[in-house]
Amino acid sequence: MSEMNAVDAREAKRRAFWQRAGWEGAVEGPLAADASFRRYFRLKHADGRAAVVMDAPPEKEDVRPFVSVGEILSGFGYSVPRLLAADDADGFLLLEDLGDTTYTRALAAGQDEHALYSLATDLLTDLARRGLDGVAGNVPAYSDEKLLQEVMLFVDWYLRPGVGLEVDDSAREAFADAWRACLPAARSAPEVLVLRDYHVDNMMLLPDRPGIAACGLLDFQDAVVGPASYDLVSLLQDCRRDISGPVVKSAMERYFAAMPEIVNQQAFLSSYRVLGAQRHFKVLGIFGRQTVLYGNHGYLVHMPRLWRLTLENLSDEALAPVREWIEKHVPESHRVTPPPGGYAA
């Protein structure tokens, strides 16, 4: 089957799915895509109804974790898109439409940054205080093996093909060893349900809903059980935008005030910085892969901020082995934004 025929066949399957779900006569329009293989479409019906279709090719994505984690979060009283219909086999979900006001758009429109980040922080403290009842056993653990696998994307997609830096196999293994030495510090935070992509593009402002339900959640299918510091650093060290220092400071103070269980705040902050560095190295690799492998160059604009945040985190002594590896193997001349398509281009 030609590529065009495959696209047409996929579109026909998607249309048949939402028509079977009772939306015959609706108009479908593209809504969004992300760095995965998922695509989203909005349905608008003449009777005024609206819904969102998630299109996740089953050979590339699995929609079942989105459904199962969504049920957990909904049970906590959080605002997640209500499931209207599902076709697991073909990779389609029909979801409640939460509107267009993402945090990104709310901030661009001048909404109060402090208020938005306070709300998002309050959701994280509520999530952390719930513990793991109903969670453990239903979502995977964020193992050191998984964290290490992710961080190696930095070598394999950002350094080698992205900026054209030769890193031999022994140096690559030394990078892995440096991270093996640092990852124990990441465990100095309570174990919670970690959403993993908790940032402004994946949160909705729903002002008509009370309390933390005003913060809608869009992207949580990759949730794991891991350190509470991970989602906090995802929120406050966002590669997509600069967050004012006072807002970050206020959010951190708000988090600790709501979490008296965290007796050793310095150990928590080391976990925060270790996972911040891990996340940023991973994302440098993911964005490198997007431009090299898929020709998606839009993420390159975030590279300078990613490097700035990474180097700030590396100042923590818990990350000394990784900092020393970077100083030895990655000269400043290669801590840069790759050209579109990578070095080979």
Side-chain angles (χ1 to χ4, degrees):
M1 182 182 295
S2 71
E3 183 176 349
M4 184 56 67
N5 286 342
V7 170
D8 290 345
R10 184 70 186 169
E11 181 177 339
K13 275 190 174 183
R14 187 177 66 246
R15 186 174 299 275
F17 160 70
W18 53 256
Q19 288 177 343
R20 289 195 306 271
W23 285 73
E24 190 168 355
V27 176
E28 178 191 85
L31 183 58
D34 55 29
S36 72
F37 293 95
R38 294 183 297 272
R39 294 186 300 158
Y40 298 87
F41 301 84
R42 172 170 281 147
L43 299 182
K44 290 187 176 181
H45 202 280
D47 61 12
R49 289 182 294 159
V52 170
V53 181
M54 179 193 291
D55 181 338
E59 69 276 11
K60 302 289 188 180
E61 303 279 348
D62 184 356
V63 298
R64 291 172 296 179
F66 184 94
V67 175
S68 60
V69 176
E71 289 175 351
I72 293 172
L73 297 174
S74 179
F76 290 165
Y78 301 161
S79 293
V80 298
R82 185 164 47 91
L83 182 66
L84 305 177
D87 182 340
D88 296 349
D90 281 329
F92 298 118
L93 298 179
L94 186 64
L95 303 167
E96 175 189 10
D97 187 350
L98 294 181
D100 292 311
T101 310
T102 62
Y103 260 46
T104 300
R105 289 172 176 157
L107 289 161
Q111 291 272 358
D112 183 76
E113 183 185 41
H114 180 271
L116 289 173
Y117 278 87
S118 294
L119 175 62
T121 301
D122 289 347
L123 191 148
L124 289 184
T125 59
D126 184 87
L127 182 60
R129 292 182 66 80
R130 290 177 179 275
L132 294 175
D133 288 346
V135 175
N138 292 316
V139 297
Y142 212 173
S143 65
D144 283 1
E145 180 182 359
K146 179 63 174 175
L147 289 164
L148 188 61
Q149 179 187 53
E150 291 175 348
V151 84
M152 299 310 292
L153 294 171
F154 170 71
V155 175
D156 296 339
W157 287 103
Y158 172 84
L159 290 183
R160 284 172 165 171
V163 297
L165 184 64
E166 291 297 325
V167 179
D168 63 27
D169 289 345
S170 64
R172 184 185 187 277
E173 186 58 28
F175 186 63
D177 286 340
W179 274 102
R180 290 186 184 102
C182 296
L183 285 177
R187 303 296 174 182
S188 301
E191 292 277 295
V192 302
L193 177 64
V194 175
L195 303 179
R196 287 186 72 195
D197 285 305
Y198 194 68
H199 57 72
V200 293
D201 285 349
N202 289 334
M203 295 184 289
M204 304 292 295
L205 180 61
L206 306 171
D208 294 335
R209 302 191 184 189
I212 57 175
C215 181
L217 304 174
L218 294 181
D219 191 333
F220 43 77
Q221 63 276 339
D222 295 324
V224 291
V225 172
S229 50
Y230 191 92
D231 278 343
L232 190 62
V233 82
S234 300
L235 176 68
L236 300 179
Q237 291 191 13
D238 190 344
C239 74
R240 293 154 188 80
R241 67 182 304 270
D242 293 320
I243 307 167
S244 72
V247 166
V248 173
K249 182 174 183 292
S250 174
M252 295 295 289
E253 291 173 348
R254 190 179 188 93
Y255 189 89
F256 286 133
M259 294 289 290
E261 299 88 345
I262 301 173
V263 177
N264 191 333
Q265 293 184 11
Q266 189 55 52
F268 183 95
L269 288 171
S270 286
S271 172
Y272 174 92
R273 295 181 189 116
V274 168
L275 290 172
Q278 187 273 347
R279 179 174 173 82
H280 299 324
F281 278 126
K282 173 186 73 172
V283 174
L284 283 165
I286 289 172
F287 289 175
R289 183 172 61 189
Q290 285 291 315
T291 190
V292 170
L293 196 59
Y294 302 116
N296 186 353
H297 312 313
Y299 294 106
L300 295 178
V301 68
H302 303 307
M303 293 290 194
R305 185 179 294 107
L306 275 166
W307 265 114
R308 175 175 58 77
L309 293 168
T310 299
L311 295 173
E312 288 173 3
N313 286 320
L314 290 182
S315 66
D316 194 300
E317 279 308 301
L319 281 159
V322 174
R323 181 175 67 245
E324 291 165 5
W325 190 93
I326 291 294
E327 290 171 350
K328 178 178 180 180
H329 294 282
V330 187
E332 290 188 16
S333 60
H334 286 76
R335 303 173 193 174
V336 295
T337 301
Y343 186 76

